[in-house]
Amino acid sequence: GNSVTQMEGPVTLSEEAFLTINCTYTATGYPSLFWYVQYPGEGLQLLLKATKADDKGSNKGFEATYRKETTSFHLEKGSVQVSDSAVYFCALSDLGATGNQFYFGTGTSLTVIP
Amino acid sequence: EPEVTQTPSHQVTQMGQEVILRCVPISNHLYFYWYRQILGQKVEFLVSFYNNEISEKSEIFDDQFSVERPDGSNFTLKIRSTKLEDSAMYFCASRRGIGYNEQFFGPGTRLTVL
């Protein structure tokens, strides 16, 4: 079946540090991969996505590359800011599946300290 | 920018009571979803809805749950007789249509069952 395994948190970094949040997946079809971010008191917002192998999604300095050979979609940012403090969710969806439901990881809480 | 809205933001209820969680999806979207997140756990799929009927549901979505789109704008989740374990954050999401795999999420309703 489909599932997502995400790095456990919480993660605490100093401003300008390098961020990696690991995400691996299992899928039966041809999934699209996503990173969503949830800021305090807000809903899930799409951060970036990739729809096929070797695609790189990027947004706001964050990047993730869809690696089919390692079934991974790790999130990276070269220099984090205090405003990046949030919970990050890795997710997959399989357009071939009826209803196109999303499968989420557990979420990783990131705190960036000045 | 259009967004998914949910009301209420927080609902407290007694065990055994019925609750209705409300969502207003983005107006030109065709697919609607409910997810839930028990504190500290994964975001889990509950149900997807298209063309005025359920297209897929998870094993969590038992006979105590129902969904409805009573008019052209609202999408509701009803829990007929709440249990303590129904306490969670409930997210509504909508998707534009076939070929669009991004889901847009609302801010969530926190349900507390006492």
Side-chain angles (χ1 to χ4, degrees):
Chain A
N2 296 320
S3 69
V4 173
T5 301
Q6 191 175 335
M7 186 174 103
E8 295 285 332
V11 174
T12 302
L13 294 174
S14 297
E15 205 164 22
E16 299 184 3
F18 184 85
L19 169 71
T20 300
I21 301 177
N22 290 337
C23 172
T24 57
Y25 69 90
T26 59
T28 54
Y30 302 94
S32 296
L33 301 173
F34 303 81
W35 278 99
Y36 278 82
V37 58
Q38 185 179 31
Y39 298 103
E42 299 185 18
L44 298 168
Q45 301 175 24
L46 178 67
L47 179 60
L48 53 84
K49 67 178 181 181
T51 57
K52 61 183 188 298
D54 300 325
D55 269 2
K56 178 187 282 188
S58 61
N59 186 25
K60 300 181 181 180
F62 291 89
E63 293 183 340
T65 301
Y66 187 161
R67 302 270 188 218
K68 191 175 180 182
E69 64 275 14
T70 54
T71 61
S72 65
F73 193 56
H74 304 322
L75 182 69
E76 296 182 336
K77 187 174 186 183
S79 175
V80 293
Q81 306 300 312
V82 172
S83 57
D84 295 326
S85 297
V87 181
Y88 293 82
F89 293 90
C90 185
L92 75 81
S93 77
D94 184 353
L95 266 182
T98 304
N100 191 40
Q101 64 168 284
F102 270 42
Y103 298 85
F104 284 89
T106 51
T108 301
S109 174
L110 170 67
T111 301
V112 180
I113 54 178
Chain B
E1 187 174 331
E3 59 183 17
V4 177
T5 60
Q6 289 185 243
T7 54
S9 57
H10 191 190
Q11 173 91 47
V12 181
T13 190
Q14 296 291 325
M15 191 169 56
Q17 295 296 304
E18 173 184 288
V19 294
I20 297 176
L21 309 183
R22 302 181 193 280
C23 169
V24 179
I26 295 173
S27 63
N28 62 346
H29 285 194
L30 301 177
Y31 292 82
F32 313 110
Y33 305 82
W34 282 101
Y35 294 82
R36 78 172 186 192
Q37 184 183 27
I38 295 171
L39 189 63
Q41 298 186 24
K42 289 188 178 190
V43 177
E44 302 171 289
F45 168 76
L46 293 178
V47 66
S48 59
F49 192 85
Y50 169 71
N51 199 26
N52 282 318
E53 60 183 26
I54 291 173
S55 51
E56 192 173 8
K57 60 183 180 180
S58 72
E59 56 190 33
I60 301 168
F61 194 88
D62 62 21
D63 291 344
Q64 293 299 311
F65 291 88
S66 62
V67 289
E68 193 177 35
R69 189 158 163 80
D71 51 41
S73 59
N74 290 283
F75 179 52
T76 61
L77 173 70
K78 181 192 289 187
I79 308 175
R80 191 167 301 119
S81 177
T82 51
K83 303 187 282 286
L84 295 176
E85 54 264 37
D86 293 328
S87 295
M89 180 73 87
Y90 288 80
F91 293 105
C92 173
S94 68
R95 178 167 71 94
R96 185 170 177 180
I98 293 174
Y100 296 88
N101 55 14
E102 180 182 348
Q103 293 184 18
F104 293 79
F105 286 81
T109 293
R110 178 163 296 286
L111 176 65
T112 302
V113 182
L114 303 176

